[in-house]
Amino acid sequence: MLKAIILIGGPLKGTRFRPLSLDIPKPLFPVAGLPMIQHHIEACAKVPDLSEVLIIGAYPKNDLSQFVQQMSSTYGIVIRYLQEFTPLGTAGGMYHFRDQIRSGSPSYFFIMNGDVCADFPLLEMVEFHKSKQALLTIMATEATRQQSLNYGCMVLGKEGEVAHYVEKPSTFVSTLINCGVYLASLEIFQTMADVFHANQQQDHLMQLCGNGRDPAHIAFERDILTRLAGSGRLFALPVLRWWSQVKTAGSAIYANRHYLALYKQKQPNRLASMSNDSCNIIGDVYIHPSATVHLTSMLGPNVSIGPNTIIEPGVRIRESIVLANTHIHAHSLILHSIIGTGTSVGEWARVEGTPCDPNPNKPFAKMENLPLFNVNGKLNPSITILGTSVSLAAEKILLNSIVLPHKELTRNYKNEIIL
Ligand code: GDD
C-alpha cells in the first residue's frame, strides 16, 4: 500500500500570489479548471495501490473541509486534511503526524509540494525507488545555471545517487534541481527523529537566537536532504517532462497552458471542441459546463473559464484564466490576464497583461517568479489581475495592472496596483 502527502503551507505563505490568495487558499486556486492540488490528487489516484492522501498545512480546517470531502468522493480514496498548530516547516508537519502517515504500514509514501505543477512521473518514481532500495527518491529536472540558485541543487554520483545537496546555494552547484516531489520509505522518520531530537537539545539556544520558530520546526531540504546526501540512500530521478513552480499569478497562466496541453494528450474530452452550437475555439480551452459562452465569442489558445460565467457576443479571450461567476460583456478583449470571481468586464473594454513565460531561447529555462516591484520601486511587467468582485466600466483599458478586490474602475489604468 502507498500513501501521499501534499504540503500546502499556510495563509502566511503564498504572499506573491496575492491578490488571488485573498479569497481562496492558494492551493485551491483553479488551474485548467481544477484546484491546483486536485492535479496532485488526480495523479496520486492513478497509482495502483495508493489508498490515502494526507494534505498537511496550517490553513484553518474550514478552508479545506468541503474540498477534501469532494475529492474523497470523486476519486474514491481516503483524503484527509491535517492541520499544523503553527507552520512546522516542510518536514516538521510530517514528523508531527508521523503516526497517521505510518498507520497501515505503507511500503512508501509520496511527498509533494502543493505549489508545483507537473506531469507527475509517479509510477516511474515507484519503479526507480524499488530498484535502488532507496530511502528517498527526488524528482529532479534541469534548470539554467542562473535559475538553479533558486532551487535545491544536486550533484549525482553513480547510478542516480545524490552525492551532494545544497538548498538554494549562493554560488553555482549544479543545474540539476529538486522538483519538490519525493518518494520516501518509512525509515525516513528515523532521520526526522534524529533531527528533531538534535533540535530539541538546541531548543534553549534557538530561543536565545529568537528566530521565532517552533522547536518542532524541521526543514525537509536543509535538515534532511543535506544530511542524507552522500549516504548512498538518497537518489534522484531526472525527468524531462513538464514541471513548474507556481509562486506568482503569472506562473498560474503558464501552468494553466501546460495542464490544458496534458488534457489534450490524456483526457481530450475535458477540452472544449468546435461544434455548430459552440463558440469559436482556438487551441486548448477549458469551459466549465455551467458557463454560458456566446456563439460569436472566440476563446483560446490556453483559456480556462470557470463555473457560472457569462461571456457575451464578440468577446475575445486568449492566454487567460476567468474564474467563477464573472460576467464578460460584449466585444471586450482579455489577454494574459486572470479575472477574479464575481468580476464584471464592461462592453468593449480591453484587459491586457504582459506574458511572463520562461525564455524560449534558453533550454531548461523556468518561470522567473519576479517580485511585484523591481529595484527601482517600479511594477515589474506581468499579467493583469482583477481581484474578486471588481467592476471595469465599458470601453476602458487596463494594462499590466493588479486590481484588489471590490474596486469599481471607471477610467483607464496602465502599470498600476489599484488598492
Ligand atoms: N505543511 C507545511 N508546513 N507546508 C509547508 C510549510 C510548513 O511550515 N512551509 C512550506 N510548506 C509547503 C509550501 O506550501 C510548498 O508547497 C512547499 O512546502 C515548499 O515550500 P517552500 O518552503 O516555499 O520552498 P520552495 O518552494 O522555495 O522550495 C522548495 O521547492 C522547490 C521546488 O519547487 C524546495 O524543496 C526546493 O529545493 C525545490 O527546488
Side-chain angles (χ1 to χ4, degrees):
M1 189 256 282
L2 283 98
K3 291 194 185 188
I5 314 293
I6 304 176
L7 298 170
I8 59 167
L12 297 180
K13 299 278 288 178
T15 48
R16 280 180 282 173
F17 208 67
R18 288 178 187 161
L20 298 169
S21 51
L22 290 176
D23 298 293
I24 183 171
K26 178 181 153 186
L28 301 189
F29 182 82
V31 177
L34 301 183
M36 214 189 290
I37 58 168
Q38 186 170 344
H39 293 283
H40 296 60
I41 295 172
E42 199 162 273
C44 290
K46 287 185 187 144
V47 177
D49 226 17
L50 194 149
S51 56
E52 189 169 349
V53 176
L54 299 169
I55 301 168
I56 303 184
Y59 287 92
K61 261 206 159 92
N62 280 349
D63 287 6
L64 280 110
S65 49
Q66 201 194 350
F67 169 77
V68 164
Q69 259 178 15
Q70 269 176 9
M71 291 301 100
S72 307
S73 62
T74 306
Y75 295 103
I77 51 178
V78 178
I79 301 180
R80 287 190 294 143
Y81 174 56
L82 305 175
Q83 187 190 344
E84 290 166 22
F85 52 92
T86 181
L88 293 174
T90 38
M94 284 192 278
Y95 187 65
H96 182 76
F97 293 113
R98 59 194 177 279
D99 289 340
Q100 315 227 29
I101 299 171
R102 287 190 296 212
S103 83
S105 305
S107 340
Y108 315 112
F109 63 99
F110 288 103
I111 304 164
M112 307 170 90
N113 287 359
D115 64 354
V116 297
C117 286
D119 181 8
F120 296 106
L122 301 187
L123 290 174
E124 287 90 323
M125 288 179 77
V126 174
E127 289 311 313
F128 179 86
H129 190 84
K130 274 189 199 164
S131 71
K132 302 290 177 194
Q133 297 187 327
L135 180 62
L136 189 80
T137 296
I138 307 176
M139 172 185 170
T141 193
E142 285 287 325
T144 63
R145 213 180 141 89
Q146 188 201 357
Q147 287 183 328
S148 66
L149 307 183
N150 302 323
Y151 300 92
C153 296
M154 294 170 265
V155 179
L156 297 193
K158 56 178 180 357
E159 294 178 26
E161 191 189 314
V162 178
H164 187 49
Y165 182 94
V166 189
E167 179 64 14
K168 302 189 181 117
S170 45
T171 54
F172 177 70
V173 171
S174 159
T175 52
L176 189 70
I177 61 161
N178 170 5
C179 294
V181 179
Y182 317 88
L183 185 61
S185 299
L186 284 185
E187 300 123 87
I188 194 84
F189 286 112
Q190 188 51 53
T191 314
M192 290 187 197
D194 295 344
V195 171
F196 179 83
H197 292 301
N199 286 353
Q200 295 300 305
Q201 279 167 13
Q202 287 184 354
D203 185 15
H204 67 286
L205 281 179
M206 283 165 54
Q207 277 168 7
L208 288 179
C209 298
N211 66 9
R213 278 185 180 161
D214 192 277
H217 187 282
I218 306 175
F220 194 62
E221 302 81 0
R222 288 200 165 82
D223 295 331
I224 310 286
L225 300 184
T226 313
R227 185 181 268 242
L228 288 177
S231 68
R233 301 220 52 206
L234 179 65
F235 288 83
L237 175 65
V239 289
L240 290 172
R241 295 178 182 203
W242 163 67
W243 171 89
S244 175
Q245 278 187 326
V246 183
K247 294 287 185 193
T248 59
S251 48
I253 297 274
Y254 179 67
N256 186 58
R257 182 194 313 160
H258 282 279
Y259 272 135
L260 292 174
L262 276 188
Y263 290 171
K264 187 160 69 188
Q265 262 180 35
K266 300 183 179 174
Q267 288 151 294
N269 57 333
R270 276 198 177 159
L271 293 178
S273 55
M274 283 283 275
S275 64
N276 289 344
D277 58 350
S278 81
C279 64
N280 299 293
I281 302 284
I282 301 173
D284 302 337
V285 173
Y286 168 86
I287 303 177
H288 191 274
S290 62
T292 311
V293 183
H294 195 271
L295 291 177
T296 58
S297 58
M298 186 179 279
L299 310 184
N302 307 320
V303 168
S304 292
I305 305 291
N308 305 316
T309 281
I310 298 173
I311 298 188
E312 291 194 354
V315 166
R316 175 75 178 100
I317 308 181
R318 182 151 52 93
E319 300 284 350
S320 297
I321 300 176
V322 178
L323 298 182
N325 306 319
T326 54
H327 194 148
I328 313 296
H329 289 84
H331 308 294
S332 51
L333 172 75
I334 298 173
L335 307 174
H336 304 284
S337 300
I338 297 182
I339 310 296
T341 308
T343 280
S344 157
V345 174
E347 276 188 17
W348 295 101
R350 180 183 182 102
V351 179
E352 183 172 353
T354 303
C356 34
D357 294 349
N359 184 343
N361 300 318
K362 283 198 179 169
F364 309 120
K366 305 279 175 280
M367 287 288 303
E368 273 298 348
N369 292 329
L370 293 171
L372 274 183
F373 298 100
N374 62 25
V375 279
N376 304 320
K378 295 220 165 112
L379 197 60
N380 273 321
S382 178
I383 64 159
T384 285
I385 305 169
L386 295 186
T388 303
S389 302
V390 167
S391 155
L392 175 65
E395 297 178 24
K396 298 297 170 240
I397 302 179
L398 187 64
L399 292 181
N400 294 337
S401 295
I402 297 175
V403 185
L404 268 78
H406 308 291
K407 298 289 154 212
E408 287 205 8
L409 310 181
T410 51
R411 64 171 175 90
N412 300 332
Y413 290 90
K414 187 177 170 191
N415 301 333
E416 279 192 50
I417 295 191
I418 302 150
L419 297 167

